[in-house]
């Protein structure tokens, strides 16, 4: 990452730390939700953006994680082990689901995962003895670590933010490792990756299982954040929303999920004035992004960044040459702007 | 036994509706690699066109014609020009995402502009029960079945027996070769979009009296169409029709005899089993699975 990129990230982290001191409880709830959804979206980004597989199961994994934590803590298990168990459970289920499902790819995987999400919803709704059925589970306690209770909104936000930071760093490290590079190779050119000795199927499966595990961990934060869970929250619409977050943010970009989740959390609030029309706007936005900028917000940021950086650091002559080299690009940009 | 026949017949009627939706779905896939995640909402929408026309004072038959015409323009022509055409150059994935967004868009638009409540929809024929060998059969199921059979037969005749249909098949199987043979491929692709619009509009007219017209109707119907298309074979209109009927009958039988709570789960289990064991579908041919 360049020095200016580092500065931008540092500024964002500072903003994330300062923000809750200036927000009302509901605002803190929203940014906590942003942190939770970002974790789930990072997981989906591994599957979609890096391994190139469309999964519509991420919402179901968030649900499994949330229910696992709610049930375990209610049974007296401390939060830490319950959190780890939620992630491990989703990793294992992701592996079991992916093992057969990844034999078929592309839209077939989308359908299998879509079916899985609906099945999970049905189990959550129908198995009342375990999940409480449509009444869900309420009064989920927020955890306490040593002497630090996270019951207050701001404390819980910092817990979410800390978890997000740790998991994001882990994902960053993983994507820089030989493993992560193999993920990218899979997406860019599966045939070439295979001929270079990358075990395509195993790596795809690994990406899917790790992504599912991250979904579970997001769920483990979701349950104590909302303090009430019910099957409807984890129906297909959550999986769709997470998918749209990754796409809008820019799939395959490390910071894409951060941006996508922010849009998904803030847009309903910004468009309060139009109340019932916000989902219509959101859907239209997604279609527009797909038509004009399939690389998403991070793709746009990257372009703008590059443009700004180049124009500042070059002599007029060099800039002129650059403009020649990239002849069609400015035209394409103005078309989008207009 | 008589209840078995009743369940079987209503299953057939449901399956016939699925078959119409799935046939349109596979047509789009065949000619333009469009996986339409909004297909269910495409079935939900024409019912509201018709209701709106009736609110404006049109009699049902006229409203139905207006509904079909609007469906052809909006769900056929505009869908292709505005959503599919600009997206195709980006590949299959952005189009998938875009149709997912479109399904959300259509659902929420109907909810916001018409109603979030289920609307009664006129029956095609008066609901009368007919007693056949002790089994009570409703005229509803019979008329749905008859209409679906007529539609599927007509589709089959057009695709197989006319020059136009053969040109469309050529477009689906090998666009490059079809161009060389003088088939106007682009126009053929457009025709499949229009045919799909007619199919979903007919399905809408058949299904809405039973389920009532509601903005969420598309969710189950769209899912059923995917499942039917995959069971039958993604690359075969015939397969989609068979898949729809199998799905409708099995779904009804399992709901009646196994578990009503999990009735939505059976199609999905069938789907997973088919994808795992025979991904090309029951009637699909391997060499045509070009993904």
């Amino acid at each position: 990452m360049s020095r200016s990129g580092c500065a931008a990230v540092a500024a964002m982290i500072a903003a994330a730390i300062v923000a809750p001191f200036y927000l009302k409880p509901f605002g803190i709830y929203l940014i906590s939700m942003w942190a939770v959804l970002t974790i789930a979206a990072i997981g989906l980004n591994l599957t979609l953006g890096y391994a190139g597989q469309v999964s519509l199961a991420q919402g179901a994994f968030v649900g499994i994680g949330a229910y696992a934590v709610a049930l375990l803590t209610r049974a007296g298990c401390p939060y830490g082990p319950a959190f780890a168990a939620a992630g491990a459970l989703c990793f294992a289920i992701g592996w079991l689901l992916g093992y057969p499902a990844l034999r078929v790819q592309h839209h077939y995987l989308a359908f299998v995962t879509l079916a899985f999400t609906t099945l999970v919803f049905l189990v959550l709704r129908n198995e009342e003895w375990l999940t409480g059925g449509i009444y869900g589970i309420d009064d989920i306690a927020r955890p306490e670590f040593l002497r630090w209770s996270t019951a207050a909104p701001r404390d819980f936000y910092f817990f979410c933010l800390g978890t997000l930071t740790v998991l994001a760093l882990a994902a960053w490290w993983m994507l820089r490792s030989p493993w992560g590079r193999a993920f990218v190779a899979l997406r860019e050119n599966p045939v070439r990756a295979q001929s270079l000795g990358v075990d395509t199927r195993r790596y795809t499966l690994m990406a899917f299982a790790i992504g599912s595990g991250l979904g579970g961990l997001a769920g483990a934060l979701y349950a104590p954040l909302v303090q009430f869970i019910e099957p409807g929250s984890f129906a297909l619409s959550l999986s769709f929303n997470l998918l749209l977050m990754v796409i809008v943010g820019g799939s395959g970009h490390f910071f894409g999920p951060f941006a996508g989740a922010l849009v998904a959390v803030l847009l309903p609030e910004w468009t309060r004035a139009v109340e019932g029309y916000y989902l219509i706007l959101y859907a239209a936005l997604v279609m527009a992004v797909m038509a004009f900028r399939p690389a998403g917000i991070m793709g746009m940021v990257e372009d703008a960044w590059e443009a700004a950086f180049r124009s500042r650091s070059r002599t007029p002559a060099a800039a002129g040459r650059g403009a020649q080299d990239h002849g069609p690009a400015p035209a394409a940009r103005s078309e989008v702007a207009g | 036994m008589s209840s078995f026949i009743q369940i079987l017949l209503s299953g057939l009627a449901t399956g016939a509706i699925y078959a119409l939706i799935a046939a349109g779905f596979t047509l789009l896939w065949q000619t333009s690699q469009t996986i339409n995640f909004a297909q269910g909402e495409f079935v939900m929408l024409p019912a509201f066109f018709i209701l709106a026309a009736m609110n404006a004072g049109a009699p049902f038959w006229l409203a139905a014609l207006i509904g079909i015409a609007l469906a052809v323009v909006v769900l056929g022509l505009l869908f292709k020009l505005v959503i599919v055409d600009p997206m195709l150059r980006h590949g299959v994935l952005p189009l998938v995402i875009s149709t997912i967004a479109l399904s959300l868009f259509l659902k929420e638009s109907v909810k916001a502009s018409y109603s979030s409540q289920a609307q009664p929809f006129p029956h095609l024929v008066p609901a009368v029960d007919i007693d056949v060998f002790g089994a009570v059969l409703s005229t509803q199921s019979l008329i749905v079945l008859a209409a679906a059979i007529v539609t599927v037969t007509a589709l089959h005749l057009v695709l197989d027996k006319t020059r136009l249909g053969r040109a469309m098949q050529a477009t689906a199987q090998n666009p490059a070769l079809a161009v060389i043979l003088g088939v106007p491929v682009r126009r053929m692709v457009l025709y499949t979009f229009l045919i799909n619009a007619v199919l979903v509009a007919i399905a809408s007219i058949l299904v809405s009296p039973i389920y009532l017209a509601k903005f969420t109707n598309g969710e189950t119907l769209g899912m059923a169409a995917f499942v039917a298309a995959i069971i039958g074979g993604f690359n075969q209109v015939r397969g989609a029709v068979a898949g729809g009927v199998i799905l409708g009958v099995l779904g009804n039988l399992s709901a009646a005899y196994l578990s009503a709570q999990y009735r939505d789960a059976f199609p999905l289990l069938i789907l997973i089993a088919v994808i795992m064991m025979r991904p090309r579908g029951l009637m699909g041919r391997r060499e045509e699975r070009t993904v």
Side-chain angles (χ1 to χ4, degrees):
Chain A
M1 201 163 33
S2 67
R3 196 186 300 166
S4 44
C6 282
V9 171
M12 280 191 290
I13 293 174
I17 291 173
V18 175
F21 294 99
Y22 293 93
L23 289 169
K24 297 193 186 94
F26 183 66
I28 296 176
Y29 170 81
L30 281 183
I31 51 176
S32 310
M33 186 54 90
W34 164 77
V36 170
L37 292 178
T38 302
I39 294 173
I42 289 175
L44 185 58
N45 195 25
L46 281 182
T47 313
L48 176 75
Y50 291 95
Q53 303 293 329
V54 184
S55 162
L56 286 170
Q58 194 68 350
F61 286 117
V62 174
I64 293 171
Y67 269 92
V69 157
L71 292 172
L72 282 172
T73 50
R74 202 174 54 172
C77 173
Y79 183 80
F83 179 82
L89 179 67
C90 287
F91 179 87
I93 295 176
W95 186 281
L96 288 177
L97 174 71
Y99 195 77
L102 289 169
R103 283 195 329 160
V104 293
Q105 297 205 331
H106 300 293
H107 53 278
Y108 285 90
L109 186 73
F111 292 127
V112 174
T113 48
L114 195 152
F116 174 76
T117 302
T118 311
L119 288 174
V120 168
F121 168 76
L122 287 173
V123 170
L124 292 180
R125 191 193 66 188
N126 291 343
E127 300 305 318
E128 240 170 76
W129 58 275
L130 183 67
T131 64
I134 51 167
Y135 303 108
I137 300 174
D138 55 3
D139 280 338
I140 300 163
R142 288 183 176 168
E144 195 181 317
F145 304 98
L146 302 174
R147 293 272 174 71
W148 181 46
S149 159
T150 61
R154 194 185 296 155
D155 291 308
F156 194 75
Y157 166 70
F158 281 120
F159 174 56
C160 291
L161 188 65
T163 313
L164 169 64
T165 311
V166 170
L167 292 176
L169 283 175
W172 175 266
W173 168 80
M174 196 185 71
L175 288 171
R176 290 285 160 296
S177 71
W179 254 30
R181 291 182 193 279
F183 289 164
V184 180
L186 286 186
R187 179 194 54 181
E188 294 300 328
N189 193 337
V191 177
R192 185 170 158 78
Q194 195 153 27
S195 67
L196 287 174
V198 175
D199 184 345
T200 330
R201 201 175 147 202
R202 218 186 91 212
Y203 277 98
T204 316
L205 183 55
M206 211 56 205
F208 186 72
I210 294 173
S212 307
L214 282 172
L217 294 181
L221 290 175
Y222 179 95
L225 170 64
V226 184
Q227 299 189 296
F228 166 69
I229 51 176
E230 47 112 14
S233 314
F234 310 110
L236 204 50
S237 55
L238 179 62
S239 288
F240 276 153
N241 279 338
L242 285 165
L243 186 69
L244 296 183
M245 276 175 223
V246 174
I247 299 286
V248 169
S251 72
H253 287 271
F254 185 78
F255 291 104
F258 294 77
L262 195 61
V263 171
V265 169
L266 288 185
L267 199 67
E269 302 310 314
W270 284 345
T271 51
R272 263 291 156 82
V274 290
E275 205 74 46
Y277 295 92
Y278 117 79
L279 276 173
I280 303 177
L281 281 178
Y282 185 50
L285 171 80
V286 172
M287 286 189 277
V289 166
M290 281 294 95
F292 299 116
R293 271 284 185 269
I297 294 175
M298 286 316 291
M300 282 185 250
V301 169
E302 219 164 58
D303 283 0
W305 193 271
E306 219 166 75
F309 206 67
R310 194 181 292 144
S311 60
R312 247 190 300 130
S313 63
R314 283 193 185 177
T315 60
R321 203 169 59 231
Q324 255 172 4
D325 290 347
H326 301 271
R333 249 173 233 135
S334 64
E335 177 191 277
V336 171
Chain B
M1 187 61 205
S2 62
S3 77
F4 176 77
I5 293 175
Q6 255 164 266
I7 292 164
L8 189 69
L9 186 82
S10 71
L12 274 176
T14 317
I17 294 172
Y18 292 166
L20 291 181
I21 309 170
F25 186 74
T26 41
L27 266 182
L28 292 195
W29 162 252
Q30 279 181 293
T31 54
S32 68
Q33 267 69 52
T34 304
I35 304 165
N36 185 13
F37 266 83
Q39 184 81 347
E41 278 66 33
F42 276 29
V43 181
M44 174 274 293
L45 196 60
F48 285 92
F49 288 155
I50 294 170
L51 285 176
M54 287 174 71
N55 286 348
F60 177 64
W61 63 269
L62 182 62
L65 286 181
I66 293 174
I68 294 176
L70 274 177
V72 168
V73 173
V74 176
L75 304 177
L77 193 62
L78 286 182
F79 173 57
K80 177 162 190 299
L81 293 182
V82 178
I83 309 279
V84 177
D85 283 350
M87 218 72 79
L88 271 181
R89 65 196 160 96
H90 298 314
V92 175
L93 181 60
L95 188 54
V96 165
I97 308 288
S98 201
T99 57
I100 289 176
L102 179 66
S103 76
L104 190 64
F105 183 81
L106 293 178
K107 219 164 29 185
E108 294 298 321
S109 301
V110 167
K111 186 177 159 196
S113 65
Y114 202 93
S115 168
S116 60
Q117 301 298 314
Q119 304 291 319
F121 192 87
H123 293 283
L124 293 173
V125 288
V128 180
D129 290 335
I130 307 171
D131 207 319
V132 181
F133 307 120
V136 183
L137 308 179
S138 75
T139 47
Q140 288 289 320
S141 303
L142 293 175
I143 194 81
V144 165
L145 207 52
I149 289 172
V150 169
T151 311
V152 168
T153 311
L155 177 67
H156 174 75
L157 288 179
V158 169
L159 285 181
D160 263 17
K161 304 291 178 208
T162 66
R163 208 179 157 73
L164 180 73
R166 286 171 177 278
M168 285 162 68
Q169 289 197 27
T171 304
Q173 282 170 14
N174 193 335
L177 194 60
V179 169
I180 295 171
L181 292 176
V183 174
V185 165
R186 296 170 67 92
R187 203 189 309 157
M188 292 303 135
V189 173
L190 175 63
Y191 287 163
T192 58
F193 277 77
L194 302 185
I195 291 177
N196 178 49
V198 173
L199 288 174
V200 292
I202 292 174
S204 188
I205 294 172
L206 295 179
V207 83
S208 300
I210 306 170
Y211 288 0
L212 304 182
K214 193 173 183 209
F215 72 100
T216 51
N217 274 1
E219 291 165 11
T220 41
L221 291 173
M223 188 69 207
F226 300 148
V227 177
I230 288 177
I231 291 178
F234 225 64
N235 45 29
Q236 292 271 321
V237 171
R238 247 180 316 153
V241 171
V245 173
I246 292 173
L247 188 64
V249 172
L250 279 185
N252 242 24
L253 289 178
S254 53
Y257 294 112
L258 292 172
S259 157
Q261 264 193 327
Y262 278 105
R263 88 168 283 160
D264 294 344
F266 295 109
L268 305 176
L269 293 174
I270 300 171
L271 167 77
I272 292 177
V274 168
I275 288 185
M276 296 310 151
M277 286 182 285
R278 203 180 153 85
R280 67 193 139 147
L282 298 179
M283 296 171 89
R285 275 168 295 180
R286 184 171 284 271
E287 69 269 27
E288 281 180 27
R289 195 182 146 212
T290 53
V291 188

